[in-house]
Amino acid sequence: MELKEDNGEGVDSWKEVTLIYNAALKMIETRMDILNDEFQHVHQYNPIEHIKSRIKTPESIVKKLKRDGRESTISNMIKYINDIAGIRIICSFTSDIYRIADMIGEQVDIKVLAVKDYITFPKASGYKSYHMIVTVPVFLSDRTVDTKVEIQIRTVAMDFWASLEHKIHYKFEGDVPEYIKTELVECAKMVSDLDIRMLKLNEEILEMAREGLDE
C-alpha cells in the first residue's frame, strides 16, 4: 500500500511528511518536558510519568482513507487524518489529566482543534482517556507548516487497560468473543476504582505532609 504523491499543502513526498510530523512530535514532547520540570520546581511534583509518541504507518493511513471512501493521496492524508502524529502522555492520577490538558491549552502557539473526554464519558467498552487534536507550527527553512497532532492523556492504570484491549482486538481482528468483552468492561471498572482510591490516598498523604509543616 502506497500513498500517491502530490503537491497538497506544499508537501510532496512521504519523507517530507514524516519529517514534518516528527518535528511536530518533538516540539510537543519538548514542551511537555519543560512544563513538567517547571511543575517540579514550583510544586515539587511531576504530573507526567512518561511520554510515548508514534507516526502512523502508510498502510494504516491508506486503510483509514479507503474506509472513508477517499483517494490515497498525500493531500487527503493531511486534510482528513488527524492522528498521523500521535503522542500519549501518561500520568499518575486522574487529576493530573485535566491539569496537563489545561497547560497544553494555555500554550500560545498550540491551537486546540477538538477535545474528546473519555474520562467523564467512557466508551461502552470501558475505554478511558482524554483526547486532544491540536496544531503546532513547524518552522522549516522556507515556510511554517501548522501540523496536526493527536494527544492522548491517561493514567498508568488506564494505559495498561487500553494496551491490553488493543492487543485483544488485534488478536481477534475486531471479532472479540462476548465473554472477553464483558471481562474487559469489568476490568475497566476495577481500573477506575483503583484510580479513584489512589488519588484519594495521594491527597491524604499530601494533607498529612501539609499538616506536618504547619506544626
Side-chain angles (χ1 to χ4, degrees):
M1 294 186 200
E2 292 184 357
L3 289 156
K4 295 179 184 178
E5 296 183 3
D6 55 32
N7 294 316
E9 297 190 14
V11 181
D12 59 7
S13 72
W14 175 246
K15 283 186 178 180
E16 190 167 11
V17 167
T18 54
L19 182 152
I20 291 170
Y21 280 103
N22 272 311
L25 286 177
K26 287 177 183 178
M27 289 182 66
I28 295 286
E29 286 190 68
T30 300
R31 190 65 55 83
M32 291 300 98
D33 285 339
I34 292 169
L35 289 172
N36 206 33
D37 289 344
E38 180 197 14
F39 210 86
Q40 173 65 40
H41 174 70
V42 175
H43 303 286
Q44 289 75 54
Y45 171 66
N46 294 115
I48 299 173
E49 289 285 340
H50 59 274
I51 295 172
K52 305 174 184 177
S53 63
R54 62 101 182 100
I55 298 290
K56 214 173 186 69
T57 64
E59 291 79 10
S60 181
I61 293 169
V62 168
K63 187 177 179 180
K64 195 166 187 177
L65 286 171
K66 284 186 175 180
R67 190 167 62 241
D68 294 340
R70 305 188 192 280
E71 190 178 7
S72 302
T73 64
I74 296 290
S75 59
N76 278 350
M77 177 189 76
I78 295 168
K79 184 176 181 179
Y80 296 111
I81 308 295
N82 293 326
D83 61 344
I84 295 170
I87 189 163
R88 189 172 300 149
I89 301 171
I90 312 300
C91 51
S92 297
F93 307 106
T94 50
S95 57
D96 294 330
I97 293 172
Y98 296 101
R99 186 177 289 124
I100 292 166
D102 287 343
M103 289 193 295
I104 293 170
E106 289 168 0
Q107 302 298 298
V108 294
D109 57 348
I110 297 178
K111 182 180 180 181
V112 179
L113 301 180
V115 167
K116 289 185 179 179
D117 185 354
Y118 296 117
I119 308 297
T120 305
F121 305 101
K123 292 185 179 182
S125 64
Y127 175 85
K128 282 190 171 188
S129 188
Y130 192 92
H131 292 196
M132 305 173 77
I133 303 296
V134 305
T135 60
V136 294
V138 174
F139 300 99
L140 302 176
S141 60
D142 59 346
R143 68 191 187 280
T144 301
V145 183
D146 289 327
T147 307
K148 286 184 286 188
V149 177
E150 183 192 54
I151 301 174
Q152 298 178 356
I153 315 171
R154 58 179 69 153
T155 65
V156 174
M158 291 174 195
D159 190 54
F160 173 64
W161 184 94
S163 177
L164 177 60
E165 184 204 33
H166 179 76
K167 289 174 183 176
I168 288 172
H169 276 274
Y170 182 80
K171 182 176 179 62
F172 289 98
E173 298 181 345
D175 189 20
V176 181
E178 284 301 319
Y179 77 94
I180 293 181
K181 289 182 181 178
T182 301
E183 187 68 18
L184 275 173
V185 171
E186 289 300 314
C187 287
K189 292 176 182 177
M190 294 170 66
V191 165
S192 182
D193 289 341
L194 176 62
D195 272 334
I196 291 169
R197 292 178 67 177
M198 293 296 286
L199 176 60
K200 183 179 179 182
L201 180 60
N202 184 62
E203 289 173 345
E204 289 176 357
I205 292 169
L206 291 174
E207 182 61 30
M208 290 171 63
R210 282 191 292 268
E211 289 175 355
L213 290 174
D214 292 339
E215 291 178 357

